[in-house]
């Protein structure tokens, strides 16, 4: 087998994993393969997948973004409060996205200009924004009464477009755009270059700081998108919304075969990784596994998947 | 006639798309140094990786002291007495010398805690055997590269290695350090070790090796006594043809100046002034650490200048980043392909185009077809040997990697190319190809600043030579008047004041 074929095999490895995994669950639980359940899986996956898409940019630059869960909570709270006080829905959504983008940009600036390690910088922003959300909401949920806002807002989280849940449509849309950016634009190439070798990229004329700041900004914006969906679905902003979501997003990226060292990975892998996690959660629910055991099962699946992936990759060397 | 300690017979190893080794024989003799020679990609590293347990062979036998063995892992190799000292040293910088030497096999006392005293003593003893003066308690990152290498050798000795493989050991050493390394090699020979010496520097082979084995394209070409061959013969064996001329210098007849540097100073360089003409190669000579790379990176906008002027085509320029320099037609090709020269995990095409992606932008994203076409052009023009342009750069030999780096710089259509050690880690055949490429660049009216530690290269290829020492310009010689002694005397001359 030539190298090209091997690289392709490496790329579709997560997909094969997903298929085998799905078949296995289908055998264990016949209810899995019904239309309503599948839509349910996709809808539940969409939030994590959208966050993970942004996380992919960051991890490809050899960074990490721990603040996405807090950005989700914060931007959701801002959107909810603006809606609750009667603002125009589009204004509220745009402000939430801008807040998300600015938070991500702040991460990027601290990391590049302040030369702080991504783990530490985004950890600080994660704590800061969670605190800000608590202060802003007084620690209480902000309800968005259905009567007072446009039905479009409810539609985002719970509606359907041509029979497909809106969050799923948004997820697909986000991934198409991300795929396009990473594979067909100069910025996308620069993301891979910076993650592959930052010094060499700088000497090749790549504005490495700008690339990294943009990556974190995208991550922040997509976290805010997820924040809007969550708020819409619950018709309220919970002060703890998004807590711990960063870990599921990182898990999805890694399950999708993206290397934490940077420079290697795909956004297609990420969506598959997110689906594996989503299907797993769903299957455990279908099989009535207690939630405490669910966590243990999830951890085991993640470890097995990543170990198998490692093994496959080192063999092809 | 030395006794054979280790023999490798009919060794073959294939990788996807290439046969890296094809029925290769290799022998190591007691009390002798065996040189392993061949161009990059000839199979030297693969052979040594098989011997040190990193790769498994597809077929062939290895025997140690007449007994057939299998080397299954690097650890296994160490236990069997085979030690390899890599070009990139494998020491832990923040640990001390003795901690490194006993890493993974620390001596413990009866209470189970570390017996530091004993480890330090034993370390001292090994270092004494090598006749080197290094404190066992020094932290490794406080040592020079040469000293670190000694520590690696000491580690091999303390592991009781019978066979010590040295991969390009002198690449980063000064002349003095090379001398002491050679003394140690003699010492090791006397102690009955069998040594394998891999180097591109044929001069050293004559100085320190007893025999040599030549590989070419994964094939065993021959084993000779060093005393029975000359340099021409070795090169002929390595490249399979004779190289008529090592340095194919040509003269161009441009006269206008492209670049003037006036009193350029910053943290690394002091008051440097010189000029560069169109179509010439300006060699920059000096010891490692003289500030040559820093000068290059200052011209390239990577380091800031404090005072002084850089004038390009009559216009004063102030770059804040390499991007700005690239846009004005200055490009820098790094001395260290792995560290900051290339993106090894990316494919060849993407590496070639990374500095020039603007050229491939369209309304709907990058024009990948055009990228591929351009990469193919360069592959054919400068002879990049690869099964596919989607191959990752890390899978290429040093010479081919360097060609990719130069292709990347040429695609930016530069006026001034700054090439930092353009033939480091590049084998003889590919070297000649790179020199021909430099001539081609000259003929196009582009100018080259070539930094090199290899004196023959500087003398052979440059139109003019700058001598730099401790960040200062010590000499500016014409091709005709320059020779090795003059350059050295310029470096030494004003040392006293």
């Amino acid at each position: 087998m030539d190298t090209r074929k091997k690289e392709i095999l490496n790329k579709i490895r997560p997909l094969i994993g997903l298929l085998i995994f799905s078949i296995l669950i289908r055998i264990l639980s016949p209810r899995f393969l019904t239309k309503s359940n599948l839509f349910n899986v996709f809808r539940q996956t969409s939030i994590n997948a959208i966050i993970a898409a942004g996380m992919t940019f960051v991890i490809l630059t050899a960074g990490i973004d721990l603040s996405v869960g807090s950005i989700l909570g914060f931007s959701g709270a801002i959107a909810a409060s603006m809606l609750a006080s009667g603002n125009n829905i589009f204004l509220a959504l745009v402000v939430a996205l801008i807040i998300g983008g600015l938070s991500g940009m702040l991460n990027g600036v601290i990391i590049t200009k302040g030369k702080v390690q991504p783990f530490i910088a985004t950890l600080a922003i994660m704590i800061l924004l969670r605190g800000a959300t608590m202060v802003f909401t007084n620690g209480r949920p902000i309800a968005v009464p259905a009567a007072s806002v446009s039905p479009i807002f409810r539609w985002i989280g719970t509606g359907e477009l041509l029979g497909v849940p809106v969050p799923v449509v948004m997820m697909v849309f986000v991934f198409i755009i991300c795929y396009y950016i990473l594979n067909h634009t100069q910025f996308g190439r620069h993301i891979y270059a910076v993650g592959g070798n930052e010094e060499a990229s700088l000497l090749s004329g790549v504005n490495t700081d700008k690339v990294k700041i943009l990556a974190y900004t995208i991550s922040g914006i997509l976290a805010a998108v997820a924040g809007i969906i969550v708020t819409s679905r619950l018709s309220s902003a919970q002060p703890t919304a998004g807590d711990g979501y960063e870990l599921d997003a990182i898990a999805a990226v890694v399950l999708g075969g993206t290397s934490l060292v940077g420079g290697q990975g795909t956004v297609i892998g990420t969506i598959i990784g997110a689906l594996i996690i989503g299907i797993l959660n769903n299957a455990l629910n279908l099989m009535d596994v207690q939630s405490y055991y669910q966590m243990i099962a999830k951890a085991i699946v993640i470890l097995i998947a990543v170990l198998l992936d490692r093994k496959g990759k080192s063999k092809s060397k | 006639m030395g006794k054979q300690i280790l023999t490798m017979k009919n060794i073959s190893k294939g990788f996807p798309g290439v046969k890296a080794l094809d029925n290769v024989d290799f022998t190591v003799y007691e009390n002798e140094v065996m040189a392993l020679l061949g161009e990059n990609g000839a199979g030297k590293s693969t052979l040594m990786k098989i011997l040190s347990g990193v790769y498994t062979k597809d077929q062939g036998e290895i025997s140690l002291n007449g007994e057939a063995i299998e080397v299954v892992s690097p650890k296994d190799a160490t236990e069997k007495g085979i030690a390899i000292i890599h070009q990139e040293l494998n020491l832990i910088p923040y640990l001390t010398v003795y901690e490194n030497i006993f890493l993974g096999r620390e001596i413990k006392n009866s209470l189970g805690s570390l017996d530091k005293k004993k480890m330090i003593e034993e370390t001292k003893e090994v270092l004494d055997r090598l006749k080197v003066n290094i404190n066992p308690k020094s932290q490794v990152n406080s040592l020079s590269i040469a000293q670190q290498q000694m520590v690696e050798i000491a580690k091999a000795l303390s592991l009781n290695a019978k066979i010590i493989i040295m991969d390009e050991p002198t690449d980063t050493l000064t002349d003095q350090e090379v001398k002491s390394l050679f003394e140690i090699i003699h010492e090791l020979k006397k102690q009955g070790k069998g040594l394998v010496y891999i180097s591109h520097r044929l001069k050293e082979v004559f100085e320190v090796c007893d025999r040599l084995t030549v590989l070419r394209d994964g094939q065993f070409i021959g084993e000779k006594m060093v005393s029975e061959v000359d340099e021409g013969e070795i090169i002929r064996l390595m490249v399979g043809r004779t190289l008529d001329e090592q340095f194919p210098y040509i003269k161009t007849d441009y006269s206008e100046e492209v670049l003037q540097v006036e009193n350029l100073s910053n943290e690394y360089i002091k008051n440097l002034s010189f000029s560069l003409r169109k179509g010439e190669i300006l060699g920059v000579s000096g010891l490692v650490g003289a500030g040559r790379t820093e000068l290059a990176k200052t011209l390239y906008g990577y380091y800031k200048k404090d005072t002084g002027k850089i004038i390009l085509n009559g216009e004063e320029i102030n770059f804040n980043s390499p991007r700005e320099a690239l846009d004005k037609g200055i490009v820098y090709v790094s001395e260290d392909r792995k560290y900051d020269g290339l993106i090894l995990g990316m494919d060849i095409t993407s590496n070639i185009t990374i500095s020039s992606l603007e050229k491939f932008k369209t309304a709907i994203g990058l024009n990948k077809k055009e990228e591929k076409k351009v990469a193919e052009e360069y592959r054919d023009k400068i002879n990049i040997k690869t099964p596919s342009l989607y191959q990752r750069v890390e899978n290429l030999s040093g010479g081919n990697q360097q060609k990719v780096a130069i292709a990347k710089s040429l695609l930016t259509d530069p006026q001034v190319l700054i090439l930092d050690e353009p033939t480091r880690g590049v084998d003889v055949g590919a070297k000649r190809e790179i020199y021909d490429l430099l001539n081609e660049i000259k003929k196009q009216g582009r100018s080259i600043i070539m930094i090199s530690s290899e004196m023959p290269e500087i003398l052979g290829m440059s139109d003019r030579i700058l001598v730099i020492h401790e960040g200062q310009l010590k000499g500016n010689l014409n091709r005709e008047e320059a020779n090795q002694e003059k350059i050295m005397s310029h470096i030494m001359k004003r040392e006293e004041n």
Side-chain angles (χ1 to χ4, degrees):
Chain A
M1 205 172 2
D2 62 32
T3 350
R4 183 96 181 117
K5 276 193 193 139
K6 268 207 170 139
E7 293 210 341
I8 292 171
L9 186 74
N10 257 337
K11 275 188 184 154
I12 60 169
R13 195 188 304 281
L15 188 63
I16 298 171
L18 175 68
L19 286 177
I20 295 175
F21 187 60
S22 305
I23 293 167
L24 212 70
I25 287 169
R26 168 69 184 76
I27 296 167
L28 290 173
S29 169
R31 265 191 297 162
F32 174 66
L33 218 59
T34 58
K35 185 186 161 207
S36 68
N37 186 56
L38 279 184
F39 270 165
N40 201 14
V41 170
F42 279 112
R43 194 190 341 237
Q44 281 165 355
T45 301
S46 61
I47 291 163
N48 181 31
I50 289 171
I51 301 172
M55 186 70 77
T56 309
F57 281 82
V58 169
I59 292 182
L60 280 175
T61 67
I64 195 96
D65 189 350
L66 299 180
S67 68
V68 284
S70 295
I71 294 179
L72 184 156
F74 189 60
S75 52
I78 299 276
S81 109
M82 283 181 71
L83 288 167
S85 52
N87 280 292
N88 176 294
I89 171 171
F90 294 106
L91 180 69
L93 298 188
V94 167
V95 168
L97 293 178
I98 289 175
I99 296 271
L102 286 178
S103 310
M105 189 187 285
L106 181 62
N107 278 324
V109 170
I110 296 171
I111 289 160
T112 53
K113 305 299 175 192
K115 304 203 190 312
V116 178
Q117 281 176 348
F119 189 96
I120 302 299
T122 58
L123 179 67
I125 296 300
M126 163 180 151
I127 298 167
L128 177 84
L129 288 183
R130 185 59 66 193
T133 310
M134 290 296 175
V135 170
F136 185 74
T137 61
N138 271 322
R140 286 190 292 269
I142 300 175
V144 186
S148 68
V149 291
S150 147
I152 298 175
F153 186 68
R154 284 282 289 156
W155 179 77
I156 292 172
T158 56
E160 288 184 354
L161 190 71
L162 304 172
V164 182
V166 175
V168 178
V169 175
M170 290 171 74
M171 169 179 84
V172 171
F173 186 65
V174 163
F175 274 84
I176 291 173
I177 293 181
C178 291
Y179 177 85
Y180 173 79
I181 292 176
L182 284 174
N183 291 285
H184 293 280
T185 68
Q186 183 178 27
F187 169 64
R189 188 69 60 78
H190 284 173
I191 288 269
Y192 282 100
V194 167
N197 186 338
E198 193 176 338
E199 270 307 292
S201 301
L202 182 62
L203 285 183
S204 300
V206 176
N207 188 339
T208 52
D209 284 359
K210 194 171 122 193
V211 169
K212 287 206 266 184
I213 292 171
L214 260 174
Y216 286 92
T217 307
I218 290 172
S219 179
I221 292 172
L222 290 178
V225 170
I228 290 166
I229 297 174
V230 170
T231 311
S232 160
R233 249 172 88 181
L234 301 175
S235 285
S236 74
Q238 304 291 328
T240 54
D243 195 21
Y245 281 25
E246 59 281 348
L247 300 179
D248 270 354
I250 294 167
V253 174
V254 172
L255 275 177
T258 296
S259 155
L260 285 175
V261 186
Q264 313 281 342
T266 64
V267 73
I268 304 290
T270 299
I271 197 169
I272 293 169
L275 279 174
I276 291 178
I277 294 175
I279 289 172
L280 180 65
N281 284 333
N282 176 259
L284 294 170
N285 281 330
L286 288 180
M287 289 183 272
D288 287 325
V289 178
Q290 265 185 33
S291 67
Y292 297 156
Y293 288 104
Q294 285 196 12
M295 288 164 84
I296 295 171
K298 204 158 114 186
I300 292 170
V301 168
I302 291 175
L303 275 178
I304 290 175
V306 173
L307 286 173
L308 284 177
D309 191 40
R310 282 284 159 282
K311 221 171 167 199
K313 274 185 187 155
S314 59
K315 248 188 211 157
S316 69
K317 240 192 172 175
Chain B
M1 177 81 190
K3 184 179 140 246
Q4 301 187 351
I5 316 182
L6 178 114
T7 53
M8 300 176 82
K9 267 219 139 354
N10 302 322
I11 304 289
S12 294
K13 170 81 184 169
F15 292 108
V18 270
K19 185 117 190 164
L21 290 175
D22 187 9
N23 269 314
V24 168
D25 294 345
F26 185 70
T27 310
V28 184
Y29 300 86
E30 201 174 68
N31 304 73
E32 281 193 24
V33 184
M34 170 65 89
L36 179 57
L37 303 173
E39 298 188 80
N40 283 333
K44 290 170 301 184
S45 348
T46 310
L47 187 66
M48 289 303 108
K49 280 183 178 157
I50 287 172
L51 184 55
S52 57
V54 179
Y55 292 156
T56 43
K57 55 184 165 43
D58 294 344
Q59 61 178 60
E61 294 107 52
I62 304 177
S63 54
L64 186 64
N65 292 322
E67 215 176 290
I69 56 161
E70 291 291 329
V71 188
V72 295
S73 68
K75 189 161 174 265
D76 187 34
T78 313
E79 280 160 8
K80 292 193 159 90
I82 300 164
I84 182 158
I85 293 160
H86 291 280
Q87 217 167 336
E88 294 91 25
L89 301 171
N90 282 324
L91 298 170
I92 317 253
Y94 298 109
L95 295 183
T96 62
V97 171
Y98 83 85
E99 284 166 336
N100 265 290
I101 283 183
F102 283 96
L103 192 65
R105 49 186 190 102
E106 288 80 2
I107 303 178
K108 293 176 190 146
N109 62 22
S110 50
L111 291 173
S113 59
L114 292 176
D115 192 343
K116 292 187 183 173
K117 216 174 125 195
K118 187 146 185 239
M119 286 192 278
I120 294 170
E121 239 166 53
E122 286 192 18
T123 301
K124 203 169 164 347
E125 195 190 315
V126 191
L127 290 169
D128 285 347
R129 248 159 76 199
L130 287 172
K131 302 195 170 80
V132 292
N133 185 19
I134 298 172
N135 185 344
K137 286 186 275 185
S138 301
Q139 203 168 305
V140 159
N141 65 355
S142 70
L143 303 177
S144 71
I145 298 288
Q147 286 174 315
Q148 293 185 23
Q149 212 170 46
M150 303 303 165
V151 174
E152 285 257 29
I153 295 172
K155 187 171 174 181
L157 279 187
S158 87
L159 283 163
N160 208 9
K162 294 186 264 303
I163 291 161
I164 300 173
I165 303 160
M166 296 186 185
D167 189 2
E168 298 282 355
T170 58
D171 237 25
T172 46
L173 303 189
T174 64
D175 287 352
Q176 192 52 44
E177 289 168 337
V178 170
K179 244 177 90 186
S180 32
L181 175 72
F182 286 177
E183 278 163 23
I184 285 176
I185 290 177
H186 283 297
E187 193 60 39
L188 292 170
K189 269 169 70 173
K190 264 196 269 166
Q191 293 174 16
K193 309 288 178 199
L195 286 99
V196 179
Y197 193 87
I198 303 174
S199 179
H200 283 111
R201 302 181 179 180
L202 293 183
K203 210 181 102 221
E204 293 175 359
V205 171
F206 285 101
E207 236 178 293
V208 78
C209 298
D210 303 284
R211 283 177 216 252
L212 56 93
T213 298
V214 177
L215 303 183
R216 189 203 309 149
D217 299 329
Q219 311 258 349
F220 173 78
I221 300 299
E223 187 195 292
K224 307 257 176 196
M225 295 298 295
V226 170
S227 53
E228 288 164 3
V229 290
D230 61 16
E231 202 170 312
E233 163 101 10
I234 297 178
I235 291 175
R236 197 183 53 73
L237 289 172
M238 280 167 64
V239 300
R241 62 195 146 88
T242 43
L243 288 179
D244 36 350
E245 226 185 331
Q246 218 181 340
F247 301 106
Y249 172 80
I250 58 156
K251 202 167 169 48
T252 57
D253 37 62
Y254 297 99
S255 59
E256 61 265 50
E257 285 188 352
V258 180
L259 181 79
Q260 284 118 5
V261 173
E262 291 171 12
N263 300 316
L264 193 64
S265 294
N266 63 15
E267 197 183 329
Y268 312 101
I269 48 178
K270 283 172 234 154
N271 266 320
L272 278 177
S273 300
F274 63 91
S275 65
L276 179 68
R277 272 197 302 273
K278 203 172 166 184
E280 79 167 343
I281 296 183
L282 179 65
V284 180
S285 186
L287 304 176
V288 173
R292 298 171 304 172
T293 297
E294 289 76 7
L295 165 65
K297 287 189 171 174
T298 306
L299 294 176
Y300 192 48
Y302 181 85
Y303 292 125
K304 300 255 172 309
K305 68 179 169 71
D306 291 342
T307 55
K309 278 185 192 170
I310 304 170
I311 298 158
L312 183 70
N313 295 323
E315 182 197 344
E316 190 178 343
I317 48 172
N318 286 296
F319 299 141
N320 292 309
S321 71
R323 181 76 257 164
E324 292 175 30
L326 280 167
D327 291 342
K328 288 278 184 186
I330 297 184
V331 66
Y332 168 74
V333 178
S334 157
E335 62 179 323
D336 191 336
R337 294 183 287 272
K338 207 181 212 170
Y339 169 66
D340 62 7
L342 292 166
I343 300 157
L344 294 182
M346 271 196 349
D347 61 39
I348 298 169
T349 308
S350 305
N351 267 285
I352 291 178
T353 58
I354 186 72
S355 296
S356 318
L357 287 176
E358 292 291 332
K359 287 193 176 77
F360 302 97
K361 263 187 175 170
T362 68
I364 53 153
L366 295 173
N367 185 344
K368 290 191 172 181
K369 265 195 195 135
E370 187 63 26
E371 271 192 272
K372 184 168 175 251
K373 215 179 94 199
V374 167
E376 277 167 356
E377 268 170 42
Y378 276 98
R379 177 193 61 195
D380 300 341
K381 200 157 67 186
I382 65 181
N383 195 18
I384 299 170
K385 288 185 205 108
T386 172
S388 156
L389 285 168
Y390 294 110
Q391 181 86 258
R392 288 188 190 177
V393 170
E394 65 194 346
N395 296 329
L396 298 181
S397 67
N400 283 309
Q401 287 186 355
Q402 188 65 18
K403 287 180 196 166
V404 171
I406 295 178
K408 171 174 79 171
S409 70
L410 286 176
L411 185 56
T412 66
D413 193 19
Q415 268 189 297
V416 178
L417 286 97
I418 310 174
L419 305 178
D420 201 348
E421 304 285 1
T423 63
R424 172 177 288 173
V426 170
D427 53 71
V428 189
K431 251 183 194 174
R432 175 58 200 260
E433 284 179 315
I434 287 173
Y435 295 141
D436 287 333
L437 188 59
L438 298 192
N439 285 336
E440 205 51 47
I441 296 168
K442 273 173 88 168
K443 278 191 232 157
Q444 293 164 0
R446 306 180 203 269
S447 313
I448 295 173
I449 298 177
M450 181 178 77
I451 300 170
S452 175
S453 298
E454 275 190 54
M455 205 69 97
E457 175 172 282
I458 286 272
L459 293 166
M461 291 304 295
S462 309
D463 293 279
R464 282 185 305 131
I465 297 166
L466 300 181
V467 184
I468 292 183
H469 187 59
E470 293 179 339
Q472 285 171 296
L473 188 65
K474 296 286 186 176
N476 189 340
L477 305 165
N478 281 320
R479 177 179 179 82
E480 294 72 30
E481 56 175 330
N483 60 38
Q484 192 150 350
E485 290 70 36
K486 266 197 185 142
I487 291 177
M488 279 321 288
S489 75
H490 274 292
I491 291 175
M492 300 307 171
K493 178 170 70 180
R494 273 162 275 182
E495 195 81 309
E496 295 86 39
N497 39 344

